Amino acid sequence: MTKQGIWIINASIVLPGRVVQGSVCIDGPIITGILEGEAPNELIRAEGHDVIDAQGMYLLPGLIDIHCDAIEKEIQPRPNTLFPMDLALYELEKKLAGNGITTMYQSVSLGVGLSLRGDDLVVKLLELIKSYREQRSMIRHRVHLRYELIHLTGIQLAEELIREGVVDYLSFMNHSPGQGQYKAPGSFEAYVMKNQGVNVEEVKRIVENAVSLQEQINWSQLKRLSEIALDMGIPIASHDDDSVDKIKDAKTYGITVSEFPLNMETAQYARESNLFVCLGAPNVVRGGSHDKNLSAREAIKAGAADILCSDYLPSSLLSAVFQIVNDGIPLPQAVNMATLNPAKAMGTDKEQGSIEIGKAADLLLVKVIDGYPFINRTMVNGVSVYKADFFHSRG
């Protein structure tokens, strides 16, 4: 008999609002059945499906990561040390599948003094991602274009990339000294020296240039860029909001996501304004912000956040989900923060983000051992792209 699909049986299935013991049927790339209770073996065997026994494991939707600049770090792990982009993308993809990330919004900065420098490198990387996802890939690759407001000459390129359909998600950043993440005196200088490997004199020049560019931002031109993105159905985010006024201003540009608000008041106002609030998983697993800003765990407990992203460390995302469960957040709610909620924010929740009939079979089998979630299998469109069996060492 020809195999028709796959049954995953005896799993603890994490649905959007509850966890049930049962089985899930996959036919091709789609979830076609969800059965609660004991697996009806006679039906499953009669239909000729392959069977995966998930006894003792959770079945989760695949993780959707809307903000992570790991691709830039993979290409440039140290200042002025560039690796081939195709190698970086191939190797990063394997890590993503192993960490349960089935959809990655590869975050690429179009800006000055940040990460990959040079618009030509950004364009080359985006072209590679586009061709790669059209030809072959293990996971779903999307593009998150992070536009730096003080990169005045880059706004035309941002518009071109948006119109060409390369961009799936757009965020506005303002990494200039004296505001946002770099409000504290000396913080901008310290960041630039660490990431670019420059000396004190060069930092002074970079700071002076950033301050000058901040004063030259063309806000009407930025408004036009946001309107183009919105017309094309591209969600827009603000970044490092440090006040209620920043949120109010950002909303005039059509943002629907506030990334990494710096304090509780701003995060709560963003949620009250029906914005999605996205916080970093590294903040959760480390127990706080490395810059002494808002604690993600405190914000989640206060109901001031609804999306987790890996920010710069893909391995932190699934761990953060289970960490906030330990903090008292119900498992379905915690899982939604890395699956269904980001899908809603990106407008893809009808196709992915939860275990529901008719949605994509992007799934994870997870076994919790000593409180830590280990991935047994990652599936994208019903295809196993990562598998790791567990064993007990005999010494």
Side-chain angles (χ1 to χ4, degrees), residues 240-297:
D240 286 349
D241 300 306
D242 59 7
S243 69
V244 168
D245 286 341
K246 281 282 184 68
I247 295 290
K248 290 179 178 178
D249 183 55
K251 286 179 64 180
T252 66
Y253 292 88
I255 71 153
T256 52
V257 181
S258 172
E259 295 184 340
F260 314 117
L262 300 186
N263 54 66
M264 186 70 80
E265 179 188 17
T266 303
Q268 289 177 327
Y269 181 78
R271 285 299 300 120
E272 291 166 2
S273 301
N274 296 317
L275 301 181
F276 291 96
V277 173
C278 178
L279 299 178
N283 186 318
V284 171
V285 298
R286 293 182 67 255
S289 163
H290 69 280
D291 282 328
K292 311 303 180 186
N293 293 316
L294 176 65
S295 163
R297 288 164 68 173

Side-chain angles (χ1 to χ4, degrees), residues 42-217:
E42 67 286 350
L43 173 63
I44 293 170
R45 307 290 178 183
E47 290 180 349
H49 286 62
D50 285 322
V51 176
I52 298 172
D53 192 342
Q55 185 70 45
M57 288 185 274
Y58 289 107
L59 182 63
L60 275 61
L63 306 182
I64 300 172
D65 197 347
I66 66 172
H67 183 120
C68 180
D69 57 14
I71 184 60
E72 294 182 337
K73 301 296 190 295
E74 198 81 22
I75 294 169
Q76 186 175 243
R78 292 183 178 180
N80 304 312
T81 306
L82 294 176
F83 280 77
M85 288 185 178
D86 53 355
L87 179 150
L89 184 58
Y90 302 157
E91 295 305 316
L92 175 62
E93 185 179 50
K94 290 188 287 187
K95 297 176 186 178
L96 299 177
N99 284 303
I101 296 171
T102 56
T103 300
M104 170 59 87
Y105 285 76
Q106 303 283 7
S107 302
V108 180
S109 299
L110 184 60
V112 291
L114 294 164
S115 302
L116 294 178
R117 294 182 296 285
D119 291 354
D120 58 330
L121 291 178
V122 170
V123 171
K124 182 180 178 182
L125 176 56
L126 296 188
E127 288 175 347
L128 175 64
I129 293 171
K130 183 174 185 293
S131 64
Y132 189 60
R133 69 185 184 187
E134 290 173 350
Q135 295 173 17
R136 63 154 301 276
S137 58
M138 294 172 66
I139 70 164
R140 303 180 191 277
H141 294 274
R142 301 290 182 263
V143 170
H144 172 183
L145 184 67
R146 305 175 64 196
Y147 173 62
E148 183 65 56
L149 301 188
I150 61 175
H151 185 29
L152 306 181
T153 59
I155 197 165
Q156 182 61 42
L157 176 57
E159 179 178 334
E160 291 173 6
L161 293 170
I162 289 170
R163 289 191 183 278
E164 290 170 7
V166 176
V167 179
D168 302 287
Y169 177 37
L170 173 68
S171 62
F172 293 140
M173 305 184 297
N174 191 351
H175 288 104
S176 54
Q179 63 86 47
Q181 186 176 346
Y182 303 112
K183 183 174 290 186
S187 58
F188 181 82
E189 291 85 342
Y191 175 83
V192 171
M193 291 186 72
K194 179 184 72 174
N195 283 272
Q196 295 188 26
V198 296
N199 60 36
V200 175
E201 287 302 313
E202 289 173 308
V203 167
K204 183 178 179 181
R205 177 185 57 78
I206 291 171
V207 169
E208 290 173 351
N209 185 51
V211 171
S212 174
L213 292 172
Q214 166 74 13
E215 296 171 352
Q216 299 176 57
I217 293 175

